Amino acid sequence: KEKKKANAKQDREFYDNDLKTRAKGAHDACHLYIKLRDIGKPCICCNKPIGEQGNAGHFHESGNNSRIRYDEDNIHYQRIYCNMYKGGDSDDYRGNLIKKIGIAKVERLDGLKGGTMKRTCEDYKEIENYFKLKIKQLTE
């Protein structure tokens, strides 16, 4: 029994300090929050209803813009078709985003575009906890 407890503690410590695990936790919490925040609203790109089957799509793609990867203004719920098959549909996304959050916030995102940011396990834990709190606030 003691060995089992020690192994469980060791596993917890590993996953608490595993960068890949922490990054996935932050990603999942962020995208769930975006879905819950935007559910029932039309697709940011095409204004069609989304329903349950959508994606948390980034205005400025997440891969090349790590500084704004988890920025709530940069991520909005969109139809899978728009996100996957129309490349995010950035022209309509931009116009609809301006209507939704305003030109000043869109220009702020434009200014933060590019560059890299190295995150630690602690950074990812903070991001995950932040979005879990936001989810809790939405669902209470």
Side-chain angles (χ1 to χ4, degrees), residues 14-28 70 119-122 124-125 128:
F14 171 78
Y15 286 114
D16 279 349
N17 297 301
D18 179 57
L19 196 61
K20 189 174 179 179
T21 302
R22 296 286 41 98
K24 182 176 179 351
H27 172 274
D28 291 351
Y70 299 102
R119 288 193 169 93
T120 65
C121 286
E122 264 320 298
Y124 285 122
K125 284 183 203 174
E128 182 178 4

Side-chain angles (χ1 to χ4, degrees), residues 5-18 22:
K5 275 186 179 179
N7 286 343
K9 183 180 178 189
Q10 196 174 26
D11 286 348
R12 256 191 326 277
E13 287 174 1
F14 171 78
Y15 286 114
D16 279 349
N17 297 301
D18 179 57
R22 296 286 41 98

Side-chain angles (χ1 to χ4, degrees), residues 2-140:
E2 289 299 314
K3 187 176 181 182
K4 206 172 192 179
K5 275 186 179 179
N7 286 343
K9 183 180 178 189
Q10 196 174 26
D11 286 348
R12 256 191 326 277
E13 287 174 1
F14 171 78
Y15 286 114
D16 279 349
N17 297 301
D18 179 57
L19 196 61
K20 189 174 179 179
T21 302
R22 296 286 41 98
K24 182 176 179 351
H27 172 274
D28 291 351
C30 174
H31 284 221
L32 177 58
Y33 167 72
I34 298 302
K35 178 179 181 176
L36 293 172
R37 180 195 70 186
D38 292 353
I39 200 91
K41 296 176 184 170
C43 175
I44 191 73
C45 295
C46 68
N47 286 316
K48 291 180 182 175
I50 303 169
E52 289 291 319
Q53 297 299 314
N55 292 137
H58 292 77
F59 173 55
H60 291 302
E61 65 176 285
S62 64
N64 294 326
N65 298 292
S66 58
R67 290 189 297 172
I68 54 175
R69 179 173 291 143
Y70 299 102
D71 189 309
E72 296 167 59
D73 287 336
N74 191 50
I75 314 165
H76 300 271
Y77 205 47
Q78 62 186 158
R79 291 175 54 230
I80 291 171
Y81 181 78
C82 290
N83 193 24
M84 305 297 276
Y85 302 106
K86 291 179 80 179
D89 201 12
S90 59
D91 290 337
D92 289 335
Y93 196 140
R94 182 181 188 80
N96 289 330
L97 189 59
I98 290 169
K99 290 175 193 168
K100 184 176 180 180
I101 67 171
I103 189 69
K105 288 184 177 183
V106 173
E107 288 176 346
R108 180 186 69 81
L109 291 172
D110 290 340
L112 292 171
K113 187 170 96 169
T116 58
M117 178 180 206
K118 194 101 168 141
R119 288 193 169 93
T120 65
C121 286
E122 264 320 298
D123 295 333
Y124 285 122
K125 284 183 203 174
E126 281 183 35
I127 292 165
E128 182 178 4
N129 290 334
Y130 170 79
F131 283 110
K132 283 183 174 180
L133 179 62
K134 302 275 288 188
I135 290 166
K136 187 177 178 184
Q137 292 169 346
L138 278 179
T139 57
E140 285 183 337

